[in-house]
Amino acid sequence: EVQLVQSGAQVKKPGDSLKISCKPSGYSFTSSWIEWVRQMPGKGLEWMGIIFPGDSDTRYSPSFQGQVTISVDRSDSTVYLQWSSLKASDTAMYYCARRNSKMGSAMDVWGQGTTVTVSS
Amino acid sequence: QSALTQPASVSGSPGQSITISCTGTSSDVGGYNLVSWYQQHPGKAPKVIIYEVNKRPSGVSNRFSGSKSGNTASLTISGLQAEDEADYFCCSSAGGNTYVFGSGTRVTVL
């Protein structure tokens, strides 16, 4: 079974750093793009960026460029989303999802989501 | 890269058909046949219900259908059922392996 398992909920203070993870299984890790999607409380989905684990090729939405870093650890088959200095406005649910090139690059498998709360 | 425009809400009675629009530009919706639609129930992760404008993944009801004309994509739900009450989001390629979501539509079954 193909699945993406994300790390657990986080509660942080403004200015803290944070790295959350997404661990795919059930398929060849290096063969499909993985992306991150933000959903702020009560709001819609926002596309943040995407990474190809095979060669670490990474693209960002202009809205998130410079605000977050997407990375991969091929030795551990894990994709990461990190912040160097969190703001209260980073409070949201973050999903990782797999892009399936055989489905017109649709996101066919989603992680369970990681809740990030930033509060002083 | 602005969010694609969707109506905030659409409602219908059981058995009726409803259509949700998703309007972008020639740089996203109009430029690529890579529009997908996602259904999200409260507290759940989104689920793909349409890809490549009008294709359904295995297991998705044929009551869901998609289309596109110019810079506007559409999702039609026919034979509306109570279980269809959810949020719906379109998503389009914006070139260079980047993507953009729609603003989202809340579907209410009356």
Side-chain angles (χ1 to χ4, degrees), chain A residues 19 29 40 55 84 92 102-103:
Chain A
K19 195 173 189 178
F29 173 68
M40 299 176 76
D55 61 6
S84 58
K102 296 179 181 177
M103 286 177 60

Side-chain angles (χ1 to χ4, degrees), chain A residues 6 20-22 35-37 47-49 70 79-81 95-96:
Chain A
Q6 297 185 228
I20 62 175
S21 67
C22 171
E35 62 205 281
W36 289 95
V37 175
W47 190 81
M48 301 178 71
I70 297 171
V79 172
Y80 297 96
L81 176 66
Y95 292 101
C96 64

Side-chain angles (χ1 to χ4, degrees), chain A residues 54-90:
Chain A
D55 61 6
S56 301
D57 186 4
T58 307
R59 315 291 170 88
Y60 294 93
S61 161
S63 299
F64 291 94
Q65 180 83 48
Q67 308 304 308
V68 297
T69 301
I70 297 171
S71 61
V72 62
D73 182 344
R74 279 186 287 278
S75 67
D76 194 31
S77 299
T78 301
V79 172
Y80 297 96
L81 176 66
Q82 67 180 86
W83 296 258
S84 58
S85 181
L86 287 161
K87 310 180 191 68
S89 57
D90 292 318

Side-chain angles (χ1 to χ4, degrees), chain B residues 5-87:
Chain B
T5 301
Q6 297 181 230
S9 63
V10 174
S11 61
S13 299
Q16 284 188 328
S17 293
I18 61 169
T19 297
I20 302 168
S21 60
C22 169
T23 302
T25 69
S26 58
S27 296
D28 37 62
V29 175
Y32 308 92
N33 285 325
L34 293 177
V35 176
S36 49
W37 288 89
Y38 300 85
Q39 177 192 61
Q40 186 181 34
H41 286 109
K44 302 292 187 182
K47 169 191 170 185
V48 60
I49 56 173
I50 294 288
Y51 67 97
E52 285 183 347
V53 175
N54 56 14
K55 297 177 181 175
R56 276 187 311 277
S58 173
V60 172
S61 172
N62 59 8
R63 297 185 299 101
F64 294 96
S65 60
S67 62
K68 191 185 88 166
S69 178
N71 296 337
T72 298
S74 298
L75 172 72
T76 297
I77 309 175
S78 57
L80 200 61
Q81 298 180 1
E83 67 207 49
D84 300 331
E85 190 160 288
D87 293 326

